[in-house]
Amino acid sequence: MSLEMLGYLGGFLVTISLAPQVIKSYKTKSTKDISIVYTIILLIGLGLWVMYAILNGIIPLSIFASIEFLFTLSLLILKMIYK
Amino acid sequence: MSLEMLGYLGGFLVTISLAPQVIKSYKTKSTKDISIVYTIILLIGLGLWVMYAILNGIIPLSIFASIEFLFTLSLLILKMIYK
């Protein structure tokens, strides 16, 4: 595997990692063990990364960070609905 | 704020975001709402990123990804202890 592939595969896994968490929270309608501080800090950090990537024209990071931002936003919304 | 600062601040926030989650899980001793699939995929993705960053000599990413890897590993261990 090339070094570049290693970076992309890592980025892909990190990006999709929150999907099973969002699905679980949606199905169980229970989010009390999830830290709202975690979701808020992550959301702000990813938002800054999306801006950074877009302003620098770094396409892969723009895509990865945007998808992860949307998963995090979904989790935060679920956290606020199912307290 | 410079573009570079934006990237570093975003990276810093993403990196530390899991800290309040680990602290919460440790204090409440309850992790049932946390998806183990999420923690495992994130851990593998971050592990690949650490390798990628070290092999490419990208110091900031090596540091950020290593710290996040350790937080994720802590969360996975807490998830396995407090089912």
Side-chain angles (χ1 to χ4, degrees):
Chain A
M1 179 161 37
S2 73
L3 260 183
E4 196 157 283
M5 272 293 293
L6 198 72
Y8 280 119
L9 185 60
F12 174 75
L13 290 176
V14 170
T15 300
I16 61 152
S17 66
L18 267 177
Q21 178 62 64
V22 171
I23 293 166
K24 182 185 172 96
S25 298
Y26 178 76
K27 279 189 177 167
T28 61
K29 303 196 188 326
S30 172
T31 60
K32 78 167 172 45
D33 295 335
I34 291 166
S35 161
I36 194 159
V37 184
Y38 150 67
T39 54
I40 291 170
I41 295 177
L42 184 60
L43 196 69
I44 297 170
L46 288 169
L48 293 179
W49 256 10
V50 171
M51 280 199 285
Y52 168 79
I54 290 174
L55 292 172
N56 274 295
I58 310 170
I59 309 291
L61 184 62
S62 310
I63 297 167
F64 282 158
S66 298
I67 295 171
E68 207 183 340
F69 181 89
L70 292 177
F71 281 137
T72 308
L73 185 63
S74 308
L75 187 61
L76 181 60
I77 292 169
L78 289 170
K79 173 74 190 170
M80 289 191 301
I81 297 173
Y82 309 121
K83 280 172 192 167
Chain B
M1 182 162 33
S2 74
L3 260 184
E4 196 158 285
M5 272 294 293
L6 198 71
Y8 280 119
L9 184 60
F12 174 74
L13 290 175
V14 169
T15 299
I16 60 152
S17 66
L18 267 177
Q21 179 62 66
V22 171
I23 293 167
K24 182 186 172 92
S25 298
Y26 178 76
K27 279 190 178 167
T28 61
K29 302 196 190 322
S30 172
T31 60
K32 79 168 172 45
D33 294 336
I34 293 166
S35 161
I36 194 160
V37 183
Y38 150 67
T39 53
I40 291 170
I41 295 177
L42 184 59
L43 195 70
I44 296 170
L46 289 169
L48 293 179
W49 256 10
V50 171
M51 280 199 285
Y52 168 79
I54 290 174
L55 292 173
N56 275 294
I58 311 169
I59 309 291
L61 184 61
S62 309
I63 297 167
F64 283 157
S66 298
I67 294 170
E68 207 185 338
F69 181 89
L70 292 177
F71 281 138
T72 309
L73 185 63
S74 309
L75 187 61
L76 181 60
I77 292 169
L78 288 170
K79 173 74 189 169
M80 290 191 301
I81 297 173
Y82 309 122
K83 282 174 189 165

